[in-house]
Amino acid sequence: MKQDASRNAAYTVDCEDYVHVVEFNPFENGDSGNLIAYGGNNYVVIGTCTFQEEEADVEGIQYKTLRTFHHGVRVDGIAWSPETRLDSLPPVIKFCTSAADMKIRLFTSDLQDKNEYKVLEGHTDFINGLVFDPKEGQEIASVSDDHSCRIWNLEGVQTAHFVLHSPGMSVCWHPEETFKLMVAEKNGTIRFYDLLAQQAILSLESEQVPLMSAHWCLKNTFKVGAVAGNDWLIWDITRSSYPQNKRPVHMDRACLFRWSTISENLFATTGYPGKMASQFQIHHLGHPQPILMGSVAVGSGLSWHRTLPLCVVGGDHKLLFWVTEV
């Protein structure tokens, strides 16, 4: 590992607009390319990218836009459906967005003539997180500043509604046991809900606020990570409801936390734009300092590649990609 961890992005892709959010497809999509979605002020772009780390005949990054969807309002969040397939005939692209108008839009496309979307209405304030159920893709969970977590079916009907004690910041579905949902609140409480009983079964406390982002580690579901105040925090839910590990990382308040999809010791955080240029960091639990720091003039969004130790952050008219070692 390099001692001087600060470096520029390994790859960049130019975009036509400021990027507010970016998400790699976390599900296997039946094609060698990796689907990526990003949202700007009034549209969503779906593309594929292949990296030299996975294909010997690719130099750097190979990026191709598959389709641009007019959105009409700023895109705040994107979630991929596990029903997305590039190897079916016709292909299926399915994802949902949260937007500045407090609505969720569910998009379905065959990348040809069929391009539909359905609006899911009910939240009364900004939506901070949304996710598809990872097994069947038949339900969507969302959390909002309106102090609620809502579960929707694909017809747009609410099938469950949990009242929170503060704004809901993040929501994650258990990768195997799809009746378990994790909801993180701004007041520092993270609760796990049993969707069959429709009640909370466990809670964690960050002991510091504001909690801005939390993520369930898919490689080890006993681990939960979050950022609150200037720190990252990590829990082992079998041991304690209080963080087992924490460290200050961002001078100007931390913004997002995301576990790597390939290692339970690797995670990334971002900070709010402020006095410090370095707002993107990759951390390894075996190292006291961040193993990589990247500076983004105005960064937003954070997502890990499904099979590589590679992160993407949105920026001003570009996507920025960083690669690290596991």
Side-chain angles (χ1 to χ4, degrees):
M1 304 270 179
K2 296 186 178 72
Q3 280 307 103
D4 175 23
S6 183
R7 53 178 182 249
N8 293 330
Y11 315 116
T12 58
V13 167
D14 290 329
C15 309
E16 290 172 27
D17 192 0
Y18 182 85
V19 179
H20 291 292
V21 61
V22 57
E23 291 291 342
F24 277 116
N25 180 10
F27 305 109
E28 213 281 313
N29 59 47
D31 187 81
S32 60
N34 304 274
L35 282 165
I36 192 167
Y38 65 89
N41 287 323
N42 55 22
Y43 66 82
V44 180
V45 176
I46 303 294
T48 57
C49 40
T50 309
F51 299 90
Q52 65 184 25
E53 283 76 7
E54 54 190 338
E55 295 273 347
D57 55 353
V58 171
E59 278 190 45
I61 180 176
Q62 204 168 35
Y63 171 82
K64 179 179 154 209
T65 293
L66 297 180
R67 162 107 19 200
T68 300
F69 296 87
H70 184 69
H71 198 263
V73 59
R74 189 187 75 222
V75 185
D76 288 337
I78 297 172
W80 282 97
S81 163
E83 291 193 288
T84 292
R85 301 297 298 181
L86 287 180
D87 59 350
S88 60
L89 281 171
V92 178
I93 298 285
K94 204 167 204 178
F95 63 95
C96 63
T97 62
S98 58
D101 60 3
M102 300 174 263
K103 293 172 186 168
I104 296 169
R105 289 166 177 79
L106 171 60
F107 287 84
T108 310
S109 170
D110 63 2
L111 297 177
Q112 289 147 22
D113 308 325
K114 182 191 170 196
N115 295 288
E116 307 167 352
Y117 77 88
K118 178 183 282 292
V119 177
L120 283 57
E121 294 187 63
H123 280 300
T124 56
D125 210 333
F126 288 115
I127 298 162
N128 296 313
L130 73 170
V131 64
F132 274 89
D133 94 73
K135 275 281 209 265
E136 307 291 331
Q138 296 306 298
E139 291 188 301
I140 296 164
S142 58
V143 289
S144 161
D145 280 350
D146 67 11
H147 295 212
S148 78
C149 169
R150 298 167 196 243
I151 313 289
W152 318 73
N153 66 21
L154 301 192
E155 297 305 308
V157 176
Q158 280 185 47
T159 57
H161 178 278
F162 300 105
V163 177
L164 310 179
H165 298 270
S166 68
M169 303 307 289
S170 299
V171 58
C172 299
W173 227 296
H174 192 287
E176 301 300 328
E177 301 164 25
T178 52
F179 60 89
K180 286 184 185 168
L181 196 71
M182 184 200 91
V183 174
E185 297 190 35
K186 201 170 188 175
N187 67 4
T189 302
I190 299 172
R191 280 193 188 81
F192 297 84
Y193 290 90
D194 178 327
L195 295 179
L196 302 177
Q198 297 213 355
Q199 63 184 22
I201 46 178
L202 178 73
S203 69
L204 309 175
E205 294 296 334
S206 71
E207 297 188 288
Q208 58 198 89
V209 293
L211 187 152
M212 298 308 290
S213 171
H215 199 212
W216 211 340
C217 180
L218 300 186
K219 291 299 272 186
N220 175 355
T221 50
F222 292 140
K223 277 185 177 178
V224 171
V227 285
N230 301 43
D231 300 10
W232 59 252
L233 314 111
I234 289 170
W235 290 260
D236 175 342
I237 64 175
T238 62
R239 294 194 176 187
S240 169
S241 59
Y242 296 104
Q244 198 182 7
N245 247 327
K246 63 177 181 177
R247 198 156 283 144
V249 275
H250 294 282
M251 300 282 291
D252 299 296
R253 209 165 89 202
C255 177
L256 294 172
F257 182 108
R258 294 286 184 275
W259 288 104
S260 156
T261 42
I262 59 170
S263 164
E264 63 172 88
N265 293 313
L266 202 59
F267 60 95
T269 59
T270 63
Y272 279 92
K275 296 178 283 296
M276 304 293 285
S278 172
Q279 290 161 256
F280 164 76
Q281 299 181 5
I282 293 179
H283 313 268
H284 190 287
L285 283 175
H287 293 256
Q289 299 298 323
I291 58 171
L292 190 152
M293 292 189 288
S295 52
V296 195
V298 275
S300 48
L302 172 64
S303 184
W304 284 91
H305 189 283
R306 191 176 66 84
T307 56
L308 294 174
L310 184 149
C311 259
V312 62
V313 175
D316 184 4
H317 290 74
K318 57 172 72 92
L319 300 174
L320 303 131
F321 301 86
W322 276 272
V323 187
T324 185
E325 301 86 25
V326 177

